[in-house]
Amino acid sequence: MSKIEQAKSYSGKELETIFFRPMLTGPDAEALGIRVLYNMPVPTTLNFWRRSNDILQKYTAAGWSGGAPADKFQKTIELSKVKAEVGYSAADYFTMVFELISNRSDVNLDDLSGTELEQAETALFKQAIAESIRATMWLGDTSRESGLNTFNGFIPRILADAAIPDAEIVSSTYDQTFLDEADAGETLLKKLWDDAPVILKEFKSQGELVYLVTSDIYSKYEDALDRATLESAYQARQNGRESLSYRGIPVIDVQLSSYLASLSDLPKSFALLTDRRNLALAVNTADFPGTEVRMWYNPDLMENRQRAIFMAGCDYLLPELLSFASFKDATE
């Protein structure tokens, strides 16, 4: 066997249970540091509740004098219809799929069933789609000629809104040379916290605040931790750290450096302090006609092809729950 010819197609319930839901739920989704809304009713609405500060009242023997309800904030996430298409030569495709299968200990390589091939093909395509969604979610701009332009991402939205006069977003811009300082990472995280709106700081006790930073800032902060003269810091230098936090708030590397290097319209580095419930990615495969995932072999070109059609979009809800910093070259 040197090629895979069996066509596969997912639609309806299979599209959700086999392909998208496993990709958009669980630990991988949580590691993004945001909310992921999958197949929520259309129009997809981002909701945020803020409880009332004082609901206690003086007791009376009878009657009802209920107070004001909790504050509710809503914003509709605009979904865009997107298409993912990938083509591989038959030989390359078989090699990639076979490698995924051979890495499993429970597979009989002398008797590969259609189910095993299908699982490997699905895994290959899911990885590509998940990464494309993730990058577009952060950096997408529909006005861009090419590359990450299927829907608008968080960073272009925040930059555009922060440029509006009297914007409620706390935003600062620094020269890229700021990151050359030894303690730049820790200094920046502290400044984001110090400059954050009071309402954002008040949400710290709920355990949902998160720093979302580019890899260079993450690395700078880790360097600062390595310089600490403690036995724990010495051990961490040798063994590495599974995760970082600052003042009890997780610090997450958004891992976008390779994309930012090729996008001249965006800063090369940024850091964001927010409540993870304030940012949301929405994906829908249930409420629009034509959504599908298809994988087939084209004998004329000896090429294996994969295609997915679905809806996706993202947005943030409250600007007062953002503390943002971006960096530009001194020559800009």
Side-chain angles (χ1 to χ4, degrees), residues 148-209:
L148 304 181
N149 62 355
T150 50
F151 60 91
N152 290 321
F154 294 129
I155 300 306
R157 288 180 184 274
I158 292 173
L159 290 171
D161 292 346
I164 299 174
D166 301 324
E168 296 179 335
I169 297 176
V170 174
S171 176
S172 302
T173 303
Y174 303 91
D175 288 336
Q176 197 74 26
T177 53
F178 175 89
L179 296 178
D180 295 335
E181 301 175 13
D183 296 324
E186 186 174 1
T187 300
L188 178 62
L189 297 181
K190 183 179 185 302
K191 184 166 180 56
L192 286 175
W193 173 260
D194 291 342
D195 293 347
V198 173
I199 183 175
L200 178 56
K201 294 180 179 179
E202 289 177 345
F203 277 99
K204 182 181 179 181
S205 62
Q206 298 186 20
E208 297 291 346
L209 296 193

Side-chain angles (χ1 to χ4, degrees), residues 120-141:
E121 284 187 275
T122 300
L124 181 67
F125 198 22
K126 282 199 296 188
Q127 291 170 3
I129 291 177
E131 176 59 18
S132 186
I133 291 175
R134 187 189 71 86
T136 307
M137 171 189 76
W138 281 110
L139 308 176
D141 189 339

Side-chain angles (χ1 to χ4, degrees), residues 108-121:
N108 180 2
L109 297 178
D110 295 325
D111 183 21
L112 293 179
S113 68
T115 300
E116 288 162 345
L117 289 173
E118 181 175 347
Q119 290 174 345
E121 284 187 275

Side-chain angles (χ1 to χ4, degrees), residues 24 48-49 67 78 86 89 94 104 123 184 186 203 208 234 236 248:
L24 297 170
F48 195 98
W49 291 85
E78 180 182 350
V86 185
S89 71
F94 176 78
R104 291 169 46 194
E186 186 174 1
F203 277 99
E208 297 291 346
Y234 175 74

Side-chain angles (χ1 to χ4, degrees), residues 14 20 39 81 93 97 99 173 238 279-280 283 324:
E14 280 189 343
F20 276 95
N39 274 355
K81 198 165 189 176
Y93 188 71
V97 172
E99 181 179 357
T173 303
Q238 298 183 81
L279 306 179
V283 176
F324 180 73

Side-chain angles (χ1 to χ4, degrees), residues 215-266:
S215 299
D216 50 353
I217 297 172
Y218 187 92
S219 179
K220 278 288 184 180
Y221 179 50
E222 190 168 25
D223 289 343
L225 297 178
D226 286 343
R227 288 194 295 272
T229 55
L230 299 171
E231 177 65 21
S232 58
Y234 175 74
Q235 292 295 332
R237 280 199 297 269
Q238 298 183 81
N239 303 325
R241 298 176 175 86
E242 291 185 4
S243 60
L244 302 184
S245 60
Y246 178 74
R247 294 185 177 180
I249 302 173
V251 180
I252 296 177
D253 181 359
V254 294
Q255 300 180 14
L256 296 169
S257 299
S258 60
Y259 299 102
L260 289 169
S262 62
L263 296 174
S264 59
D265 56 335
L266 291 178

